[in-house]
Amino acid sequence: MAKYRLEEISSPLFLKELSIKELNVLASDIRTFLIDSIAKTGGHLSSNLGVVELTIALHYVFNSPTDKVFFDVGHQSYVHKILTGRAKDFNTLRQFHGLSGFQKRDESVHDVWEAGHSSTALSAAVGMAHARDLNHQTYHVVPVIGDAAIVGGESLEALNHLGASKTKVIIIMNDNQMSISKNVGGFSEFLSDIRTSHAYNVAKGEYRHILMGSQVGEKIYHLTSKAKNLIKRRVIDSKIFGEFGVDYLGPINGHDLGELIRTLEKAKTIPNSVVVHVMTTKGKGYIYAENDTNGQWHGVEPFNKATGLMLNQSKEIGWSEFIADEVYERMGKDQDIVAITPAMISGSKMEKIFKDYKERAFDVGIAEAHAATFAAGLAISGKKPFLSIYSSFLQRAYDQLNHDIARMNLAVVVGIDRAGLVAGDGETHHGVFDLGILKPLPNTYIYAPSSKKEAQWFLDKAFKAEHGLYCIRYGKQIVKDYPCDTKQLAIGKWHYISQNEKPQAIIISYGETLNDIVLEVMNRHLAYDIVNANFLKPIDTEMIEEIARRNLPIFVYERDLESCGLGKDIAAYLACRHLSCDLYTYGLPDIYLKHGDITKLLHEQGLALEDILGKMERILCEKGKN
């Protein structure tokens, strides 16, 4: 039975009254709570289990919210939420109008930063520290960043700035050898060397104990200790962080509360910026998560905690897996096709590609900008790169997509995963901005398939192309296998997928939204013609003119931003050609939508399909009266 009633915690101040033994009991209670709670709601499990002791120690040593303790990305902030009074709300985690899965400033004064993307915390910390100094204040700024995120481009830029500054930041580097899946790269290998030295440090304690038993031994110990410290300063500290002008402490055991507290207290006394290197075990305390090496337990759906089996297992595959399988099949036939991911092998379901085509599969780490220009380098050298990247991460590589790929008209295929609304991850992860940044780019094609055959057709075209940025957008839904006559498919061309003898109106849509429309229109027996606008760039101007001449109300419905959506493109073209018709467009407003069930999110904005069909019927009814 748990000793602490976590739901009654209102502030982390109580930690300062506890002994190390009591803090360890609290850590055990928190782990049990996390497993029990996330098993019901889903969420980020492994990353939070790995930072239980670290988060307790941070709140024990520092004084939040006066001291600014915050987390890069934020998917490991659940323990922080518990210690700052939100355990009682965990039954609503990631649900509509419920607790966010990330830090949120409107949730608590203890959430001083919020993000859903990697490698932003150090830049924010340097800004906070300078603001503190300008205001003649003395609080501590303590960002917690993972070993994978600390080598992100922005993190290194921030380190470079920090080293040249007189301000102080205490950087906690949470080293669990993982981002979502196993880390890659030279810095990861460097940290591996340091971890090896940690084993040496344990042996060093025994060495000290033996030599300190005599005067001669004591002299030998102090002499060798000085030599060792000199080597450490010159080789380890200066090898990376010292070159940036930042001090280094560690590595330390991230699950030893005594060692954590002692080291953090020491970091407070150092006048300069310092990195505290903390080694943790991702998924600690839950055997299935501890043994995970490919990211399956990073973010989970509800699961059976006893068996480790997901509760909502489906034999049907989602778009990510389908696209990855199609690329895999083409890689078997074409030796020039290569695959790239920025640390999302598991999320984008590319495990089989990386297993069977190791030499042609590249995980570049959390480095979206590099991934895009790396793809350009491959393309300009005759290879056929496929870059799989989440929509919400794509914006981090905009300049590279523009400057390095589209501008040089290089043949690169981009799989835009998680396009559209994504439910539980919320505003930082909704994939609704990619259209706005990609549409203006010349030499670019954007395709939104609604069926397997459409996707297969586009991938065939894309990998055969000698020039052009070919983008295929898909969401998290289960992929459908609707009949499709591929003979009617062509670059930049739309087609009808449903026509009536006496249609009342025309609906235009694309992607998975189109499938929902077709099903609902059939169920309601509505006499609407339905157009599959699968090409979002270039749009089918010939068909737009043909539709306009039919003198029927035209409804454009999409679950992307209306301000940069298909409806606006159609309206602009009609205006340019001086074509008049009854056009009604429906899309998401220019706001950051919160997390939660997608239908509920849409309904809140009056944009659920039933809302839209109701609006259409009322418009048609009014027109009938006139």
Side-chain angles (χ1 to χ4, degrees), residues 136-363:
H136 306 291
Q137 296 170 307
T138 58
Y139 58 81
H140 293 285
V141 178
V142 192
V144 181
I145 185 167
D147 54 311
I150 204 168
V151 291
E154 187 176 357
S155 293
L156 295 179
E157 291 168 7
L159 271 175
N160 188 53
H161 182 196
L162 182 61
S165 304
K166 294 181 180 179
T167 193
K168 178 183 176 180
V169 173
I170 300 174
I171 300 169
I172 311 301
M173 184 172 66
N174 174 30
D175 177 8
N176 58 25
Q177 307 175 58
M178 303 273 283
S179 50
I180 291 178
S181 53
K182 208 73 174 173
N183 283 337
V184 297
F187 188 76
S188 177
E189 294 175 6
F190 162 69
L191 290 181
S192 180
D193 292 340
I194 297 182
R195 292 182 204 110
T196 303
S197 76
H198 181 68
Y200 161 75
N201 288 337
V202 174
K204 179 196 70 178
E206 299 174 358
Y207 167 75
R208 178 182 184 277
H209 178 72
I210 294 169
L211 287 183
M212 293 298 280
S214 68
Q215 289 184 342
V216 174
E218 186 175 349
K219 288 181 180 180
I220 294 173
Y221 172 77
H222 287 304
L223 180 63
T224 56
S225 180
K226 287 180 181 179
K228 183 269 299 181
N229 288 333
L230 179 63
I231 292 170
K232 179 178 180 293
R233 284 196 302 273
R234 291 185 177 177
V235 177
I236 296 179
D237 297 16
S238 64
K239 188 172 182 181
I240 294 291
F241 301 111
E243 294 297 326
F244 283 105
V246 177
D247 286 350
Y248 172 90
L249 294 175
I252 63 172
N253 182 349
H255 304 294
D256 184 328
L257 277 158
E259 187 176 9
L260 282 165
I261 291 169
R262 288 191 298 274
T263 307
L264 293 175
E265 291 286 5
K266 181 177 180 180
K268 288 169 66 173
T269 67
I270 295 175
N272 310 313
S273 289
V274 58
V275 170
V276 180
H277 182 181
V278 180
M279 295 193 302
T280 61
T281 300
K282 194 171 184 180
K284 185 171 178 62
Y286 188 59
I287 189 65
Y288 300 107
E290 280 195 42
N291 292 336
D292 177 26
T293 58
N294 59 16
Q296 291 180 344
W297 285 92
H298 173 75
V300 296
E301 299 297 323
F303 62 94
N304 183 320
K305 66 177 183 178
T307 63
L309 296 177
M310 302 299 149
L311 297 181
N312 301 315
Q313 295 189 77
S314 173
K315 293 183 180 179
E316 298 179 288
I317 68 170
W319 274 104
S320 300
E321 186 174 357
F322 174 75
I323 295 295
D325 286 349
E326 290 297 315
V327 173
Y328 176 90
E329 181 180 326
R330 285 158 180 76
M331 290 179 78
K333 300 174 182 176
D334 189 337
Q335 296 297 308
D336 284 330
I337 297 177
V338 296
I340 308 163
T341 177
M344 296 302 296
I345 296 175
S346 173
S348 293
K349 305 299 181 185
M350 300 174 74
E351 295 94 339
K352 192 160 62 171
I353 290 175
F354 276 77
K355 177 178 179 290
D356 292 346
Y357 298 113
K358 292 183 177 69
E359 292 184 357
R360 290 188 282 142
F362 304 94
D363 180 357

Side-chain angles (χ1 to χ4, degrees), residues 419-433:
L421 299 176
V422 295
D425 282 335
E427 57 199 287
T428 57
H429 283 64
H430 290 314
V432 295
F433 300 106

Side-chain angles (χ1 to χ4, degrees), residues 435-616:
L435 290 179
I437 63 177
L438 290 173
K439 279 184 179 180
L441 299 184
N443 306 321
T444 299
Y445 305 87
I446 308 172
Y447 192 72
S450 60
S451 69
K452 290 182 178 180
K453 287 184 174 59
E454 287 180 10
Q456 290 167 334
W457 171 85
F458 181 79
L459 288 173
D460 284 338
K461 290 287 184 183
F463 281 121
K464 290 176 183 176
E466 295 182 358
H467 303 283
L469 175 59
Y470 282 76
C471 304
I472 180 169
R473 299 179 83 238
Y474 44 93
K476 291 185 68 174
Q477 302 91 340
I478 299 299
V479 64
K480 305 297 192 305
D481 193 20
Y482 294 131
C484 173
D485 181 6
T486 56
K487 293 179 181 179
Q488 64 180 332
L489 300 179
I491 298 294
K493 293 299 179 183
W494 302 347
H495 60 275
Y496 289 101
I497 58 173
S498 176
Q499 287 185 280
N500 290 265
E501 290 185 7
K502 296 181 179 180
Q504 294 179 295
I506 301 169
I507 302 177
I508 303 176
S509 193
Y510 54 87
E512 279 297 331
T513 304
L514 187 73
N515 294 329
D516 296 339
I517 292 171
V518 171
L519 184 61
E520 194 62 26
V521 166
M522 288 177 58
N523 289 340
R524 296 189 183 204
H525 305 289
L526 300 173
Y528 297 162
D529 284 358
I530 302 174
V531 174
N532 183 352
N534 43 22
F535 266 99
L536 300 173
K537 181 185 176 78
I539 58 175
D540 190 344
T541 55
E542 289 185 6
M543 191 167 193
I544 291 173
E545 293 190 22
E546 180 269 321
I547 290 170
R549 289 193 293 267
R550 294 183 61 188
N551 198 30
L552 288 169
I554 302 170
F555 299 99
V556 183
Y557 175 49
E558 51 195 322
R559 293 168 185 165
D560 289 295
L561 292 178
E562 185 174 24
S563 62
C564 54
L566 176 63
K568 190 170 183 179
D569 292 343
I570 294 173
Y573 181 79
L574 291 171
C576 180
R577 301 293 293 177
H578 304 290
L579 297 171
S580 61
C581 60
D582 291 332
L583 177 69
Y584 304 87
T585 64
Y586 305 98
L588 299 175
D590 282 350
I591 62 173
Y592 290 105
L593 289 175
K594 301 292 185 180
H595 56 277
D597 177 81
I598 291 176
T599 300
K600 291 180 180 178
L601 289 171
L602 290 169
H603 190 62
E604 189 172 50
Q605 302 300 322
L607 290 170
L609 184 54
E610 61 181 274
D611 301 325
I612 299 303
L613 290 175
K615 291 175 183 179
M616 292 179 186

